[in-house]
Amino acid sequence: MELSSALLLGLVLLGLMWWKWSRPKGFPPGPPALPVMGNMLQMDFTNPLKALRKFSKVYGPVYSIYLGFTPAVVVRGIKDLKEVLVNKGVEFADRPHNRLIEAISGTKGIIVAPYGQSWKQHRRFTLSTLRNFGLGKKSMEERICEESSYLIQEFKKNTNALIDPHLVIDNAVSNIICSIVFGRRYDYDDPTFRDILNLVHENMKMATSVWSQLYNAFGFVRHLPLPHQKIFRNIKVIFGFLRKVLEEHKRTRNPGQPQNYIDCYLDELDKEQEDGNKSTFNDENLFTCVGDLFIAGTETTAASLEWCLLYMMTNPDIQEKCREEINKIRGDREHLDYEDRMMMPYTQAVLQEVQRYASVVPLGVAHAPIKDVQLNGYTIPKGTLILTDLSSVHYDESQWKYPHEFNPENFLNKEGELVKVDSFLPFSAGPRSCLGENLARMEIFLFFTSILTHFKLCCPDTKSPPDCTPVFGVSHTPKRFLMRLVPLT
Ligand code: HEM
């Protein structure tokens, strides 16, 4: 090729790249993006929150970045997050196209389902089924208290020794969602269940890794022998486990006498078939909903409870004040009821402070507009990937008395009463907010108060406190840590 033709071709390619990675008119501004990689090289995917914070100092609370070929809008700060999640909640209630997730579970179920009839029906059905488990059948509260006593028994086997609480907490928390969805719990030494939970956690970390971002950005990566292949191997095992559970239910259930979520769904399927209705209830949606609840209901809540233990261990005075309040309200009863929390402002403030300070789901779950929509004077096209930086509001210096320290006073007034703070969004907000919020709050309160009733939580070594830096992923989890449980009862 002649030199002039090569130059011309180079210029055309550069022009195409500029066109592809320059922001459309009206789109939020953002850092200059490189051809092909976009802004990916400027972000450390082991903790992208730092880069997101840095960009917002230059471009404001609503700005854009490119993840490879994909433009994304980042939303930070309470004013704009409220606008996206609540005021324009329905306009932003879709989920974006995500190559990895679509390869795993399509667009069924609840979490990744697009805004529409199927998502609405499944969200409504799941919320009401979770609520109904308070009536007639064993209530959620009873299930949690029963599991708490297994947890305490297990911890009692190791009193005064150093223990890593992760496996037991993880198993106990997951048993609650398993009991509601499958109608059974798993022993703490069940090796198959432990393997499944480990694979879930591994995938929750890998889902935000650079390999997943590359997979999402460039379709051809799918076939390369890179670390993202591990996600698919793990999911095959997790789905195999869930499929077995479902098949067993189908074989052994008593129609019309539902004992758990799967039974309720199968009854609903029978009803729809009898009525000849064209509904969105089907086997595929059942499978994905079961997976959604199992995965969403385990890591987030288990991580929150582990953060509670870690912060109590590192803040013995706060731990002691909680215990005083717990004992005062409990009296000589075996355990507290969930209702008792209304008389326990300090403990509630501590639990909320754990959720604020740990920001367990720092970037929420990505949203997308259902149509072209205006935000902060910008035009955001339908389907754009919206990253909701929930953690940004939790450390906002204009919103908190003590933004950068663990301090329950953030949720208390001078009279020691619990105050409602707008900039507290651990479960997100609006039409797509966390569906398990009530269950998660109940679990955290009942497990936490039960553990503090039975044990004093101590640091293994008071001279070198444990590392409280979170490990980034879909959830912010604590690094594995050791603690000493001193028995009190
Ligand atoms: C402390 C524990 C938990 C935290 C911090 C948490 C947080 C969140 C967040 C931030 C979202 C994204 C909301 C959005 O898109 O704006 C979410 C969604 C969701 N969560 Fe949770 N969650 C927790 C526990 C649970 C539990 C126990 C369940 C199971 C019952 C659950 C089920 C779901 C589901 C199904 C969605 C998707 C909702 C939808 O797309 O309509 N979560 N959660």
Side-chain angles (χ1 to χ4, degrees):
M1 196 193 294
E2 280 179 29
L3 185 65
S4 55
S5 316
L7 272 174
L8 191 65
L9 185 65
L11 280 174
V12 169
L13 282 175
L14 274 175
L16 277 174
M17 285 172 172
W18 177 84
W19 170 77
K20 179 85 191 150
W21 280 275
S22 64
R23 284 150 172 95
K25 200 162 169 268
F27 203 61
L34 285 174
V36 186
M37 291 307 283
N39 298 105
M40 288 174 73
L41 297 179
Q42 292 148 276
M43 301 180 65
D44 167 8
F45 283 94
T46 58
N47 183 0
L49 299 175
K50 269 192 218 155
L52 297 185
R53 197 180 321 128
K54 208 169 107 197
F55 293 150
S56 83
K57 287 199 174 129
V58 183
Y59 301 101
V62 177
Y63 63 88
S64 62
I65 52 174
Y66 272 84
L67 299 170
F69 297 99
T70 312
V73 171
V74 181
V75 183
R76 301 181 88 252
I78 190 65
K79 179 181 146 286
D80 292 294
L81 277 170
K82 269 225 155 140
E83 188 71 359
V84 165
L85 298 168
V86 183
N87 303 345
K88 293 189 174 169
V90 171
E91 286 158 274
F92 279 99
D94 215 350
R95 295 294 189 206
H97 164 69
N98 181 306
R99 212 173 254 129
L100 181 68
I101 290 181
E102 280 159 26
I104 291 173
S105 60
T107 53
K108 301 276 179 214
I110 305 168
I111 303 182
V112 298
Y115 178 78
Q117 186 65 354
S118 179
W119 166 74
K120 275 189 201 159
Q121 283 191 342
H122 283 84
R123 186 172 165 107
R124 203 178 309 130
F125 168 79
T126 304
L127 273 169
S128 80
T129 307
L130 291 185
R131 221 175 284 130
N132 287 344
F133 275 115
L135 301 169
K137 300 130 210 140
K138 200 190 287 177
S139 76
M140 277 201 222
E141 190 163 353
E142 272 177 87
R143 286 168 211 260
I144 301 168
C145 289
E146 196 177 298
E147 191 61 43
S148 271
S149 52
Y150 284 114
L151 174 79
I152 299 299
Q153 270 172 40
E154 188 65 23
F155 274 170
K156 278 191 174 162
K157 291 183 189 161
N158 291 298
T159 44
N160 291 316
L162 288 185
I163 68 152
D164 171 351
H166 169 72
L167 294 177
V168 180
I169 294 284
D170 208 28
N171 203 328
V173 165
S174 193
N175 273 344
I176 303 301
I177 199 72
C178 289
S179 145
I180 294 168
V181 178
F182 317 154
R184 65 159 293 185
R185 66 177 294 279
Y186 295 85
D187 286 340
Y188 299 145
D189 55 5
D190 182 326
T192 311
F193 192 60
R194 186 163 285 182
D195 285 348
I196 296 293
L197 291 182
N198 286 339
L199 298 182
V200 168
H201 298 314
E202 201 173 14
N203 273 12
M204 295 284 265
K205 288 289 173 245
M206 288 186 46
T208 54
S209 70
V210 70
W211 303 110
S212 301
Q213 303 310 321
L214 284 172
Y215 181 99
N216 279 329
F218 312 108
F220 67 89
V221 169
R222 176 183 192 140
H223 305 289
L224 302 180
L226 293 171
H228 69 271
Q229 299 293 355
K230 184 91 182 48
I231 300 185
F232 291 101
R233 284 197 295 275
N234 290 355
I235 218 66
K236 214 170 147 191
V237 182
I238 301 168
F239 280 6
F241 165 80
L242 294 176
R243 218 162 269 128
K244 237 170 110 183
V245 170
L246 259 170
E247 290 312 318
E248 206 177 304
H249 267 80
K250 285 186 181 166
R251 271 200 318 273
T252 56
R253 79 188 179 108
N254 286 327
Q257 291 176 336
Q259 300 297 317
N260 49 60
Y261 179 86
I262 296 178
D263 290 350
C264 292
Y265 196 104
L266 291 170
D267 279 357
E268 192 65 31
L269 264 181
D270 291 347
K271 229 189 310 169
E272 301 284 342
Q273 271 163 12
E274 276 165 27
D275 296 350
N277 274 355
K278 252 187 116 200
S279 103
T280 59
F281 285 80
N282 54 45
D283 278 336
E284 265 179 300
N285 263 326
L286 166 59
F287 182 76
T288 313
C289 283
V290 168
D292 279 0
L293 294 174
F294 176 61
I295 293 171
T298 298
E299 182 170 283
T300 47
T301 318
S304 307
L305 202 54
E306 285 174 46
W307 283 115
C308 288
L309 304 187
L310 188 57
Y311 292 140
M312 288 308 96
M313 208 169 77
T314 47
N315 294 276
D317 299 347
I318 297 178
Q319 181 186 159
E320 207 39 56
K321 271 184 91 170
C322 272
R323 188 172 294 105
E324 271 169 28
E325 191 178 61
I326 291 170
N327 287 341
K328 191 174 116 204
I329 302 296
R330 185 174 62 89
D332 50 15
R333 286 177 297 161
E334 182 100 340
H335 59 76
L336 289 169
D337 297 329
Y338 188 46
E339 190 59 27
D340 291 324
R341 75 191 186 288
M342 307 311 276
M343 293 172 293
M344 301 172 66
Y346 190 77
T347 306
Q348 286 210 70
V350 167
L351 295 181
Q352 293 191 5
E353 179 65 355
V354 169
Q355 291 202 294
R356 178 194 76 85
Y357 200 59
S359 270
V360 173
V361 188
L363 291 178
V365 177
H367 283 237
I370 56 172
K371 56 177 187 184
D372 292 1
V373 60
Q374 293 293 310
L375 177 68
N376 221 0
Y378 303 118
T379 306
I380 321 269
K382 173 179 186 303
T384 305
L385 166 61
I386 309 286
L387 292 173
T388 52
D389 186 349
L390 303 178
S391 71
S392 67
V393 295
H394 292 160
Y395 312 118
D396 185 335
E397 290 170 5
S398 68
Q399 302 289 317
W400 299 95
K401 283 185 267 182
Y402 307 99
H404 304 300
E405 65 180 78
F406 179 80
N407 192 332
E409 300 295 327
N410 275 317
F411 289 94
L412 294 168
N413 63 17
K414 283 197 194 91
E415 286 72 42
E417 293 158 342
L418 190 70
V419 288
K420 190 174 171 337
V421 186
D422 265 359
S423 298
F424 179 55
L425 294 177
F427 298 99
S428 187
R432 220 86 211 203
S433 68
C434 176
L435 177 154
E437 174 169 354
N438 286 340
L439 174 62
R441 281 182 190 279
M442 192 189 281
E443 285 187 52
I444 295 170
F445 177 84
L446 292 171
F447 278 126
F448 176 78
T449 53
S450 174
I451 295 171
L452 254 59
T453 302
H454 288 89
F455 305 103
K456 186 170 167 185
L457 317 180
C458 302
C459 274
D461 177 359
T462 42
K463 286 192 205 97
S464 62
D467 180 358
C468 294
T469 318
V471 184
F472 181 81
V474 176
S475 332
H476 255 163
T477 50
K479 290 183 180 148
R480 300 284 284 265
F481 62 92
L482 293 173
M483 64 177 188
R484 196 184 303 282
L485 293 166
V486 178
L488 296 168
T489 52

